[in-house]
Amino acid sequence: MKKTKFLAFAAIAAAALAAAGCGSEDPATAADTIVVSSAWTKAAESGMTGAFAELENTGDQAVRIVSVSSPVSSRTELHEMAPAADGAMAMREMDGGLTVAAGSRHSLAPGGDHLMLMDLIEPVTPGTDIEFTLTFSDGSSIDFTSQVRDFAGARENYVPSAEEGANHGG
């Protein structure tokens, strides 16, 4: 009889655990579905520099990155390459953030979309690591580390916003 009661209790406990596991988990946040890999940042003594990485959305819904921050910069922006007034390609801040489609990868690369560290607080020297935080439209965020490297390429022009032009004489 004891064995029967034990088996009945075990069956009830297993069913309760299975039911609890079916609906109690919180839905995934955008931060839960993004994997950042191959992150690196271009070395710079002062001013501004770019950071690059591979972003993979492992989820089944698109996610939008709305901001980025780093302790080595007083202002960090999501940037894209776009035609300037003279027709030449220039980098500028993305309007509305960066969307990474469900089940896809998005490259942040020199000459393309990238993270821009503006007004560096300290030199960004080769061989060091920089911390970044990506914040998503759902309010979630992830931190990642980027290795600093020497890189001589991708010397794009920067097109400041109208507000920046007024503030910086540009």
Side-chain angles (χ1 to χ4, degrees), residues 20 33 41 45 50 55 65 67 75 82 84 100 112 117-118 124 126 128 143 149 159 164:
T33 65
T41 301
E45 287 296 315
L55 306 175
I65 302 166
S67 68
R75 191 175 82 215
V100 182
L117 297 115
M118 315 285 285
V124 178
T128 60
D143 298 325
R149 301 178 186 167
V159 177
E164 282 182 290

Side-chain angles (χ1 to χ4, degrees), residues 79-95 111-114 156-159:
H79 272 210
E80 64 184 348
M81 295 300 295
D86 64 2
M89 294 299 283
M91 62 180 153
R92 67 177 182 202
E93 185 172 12
M94 289 182 180
D95 185 27
D113 294 344
H114 59 279
E156 295 90 359
N157 293 321
Y158 174 61
V159 177

Side-chain angles (χ1 to χ4, degrees), residues 12-23:
I12 291 169
L17 286 173
C22 287

Side-chain angles (χ1 to χ4, degrees), residues 64-79:
R64 187 166 48 95
I65 302 166
V66 294
S67 68
V68 59
S69 62
S70 175
V72 301
S73 172
S74 63
R75 191 175 82 215
T76 308
E77 299 175 346
L78 298 160
H79 272 210

Side-chain angles (χ1 to χ4, degrees), residues 9-141:
F9 175 76
I12 291 169
L17 286 173
C22 287
S24 66
E25 290 185 29
D26 292 331
T29 65
D32 293 331
T33 65
I34 291 291
V35 176
V36 179
S37 62
S38 304
W40 66 279
T41 301
K42 181 180 173 184
E45 287 296 315
S46 61
M48 64 179 103
T49 193
F52 316 99
E54 290 294 318
L55 306 175
E56 181 181 4
N57 181 351
T58 62
D60 57 6
Q61 293 187 24
V63 297
R64 187 166 48 95
I65 302 166
V66 294
S67 68
V68 59
S69 62
S70 175
V72 301
S73 172
S74 63
R75 191 175 82 215
T76 308
E77 299 175 346
L78 298 160
H79 272 210
E80 64 184 348
M81 295 300 295
D86 64 2
M89 294 299 283
M91 62 180 153
R92 67 177 182 202
E93 185 172 12
M94 289 182 180
D95 185 27
L98 169 66
T99 299
V100 182
S104 72
R105 289 181 168 264
H106 188 89
S107 292
L108 300 176
D113 294 344
H114 59 279
L115 308 177
M116 195 71 191
L117 297 115
M118 315 285 285
D119 305 322
L120 293 174
I121 295 169
E122 59 189 58
V124 178
T125 56
T128 60
D129 290 332
I130 296 176
E131 297 298 318
F132 285 89
T133 300
L134 297 177
T135 302
F136 300 90
S137 60
D138 68 358
S140 65
S141 63

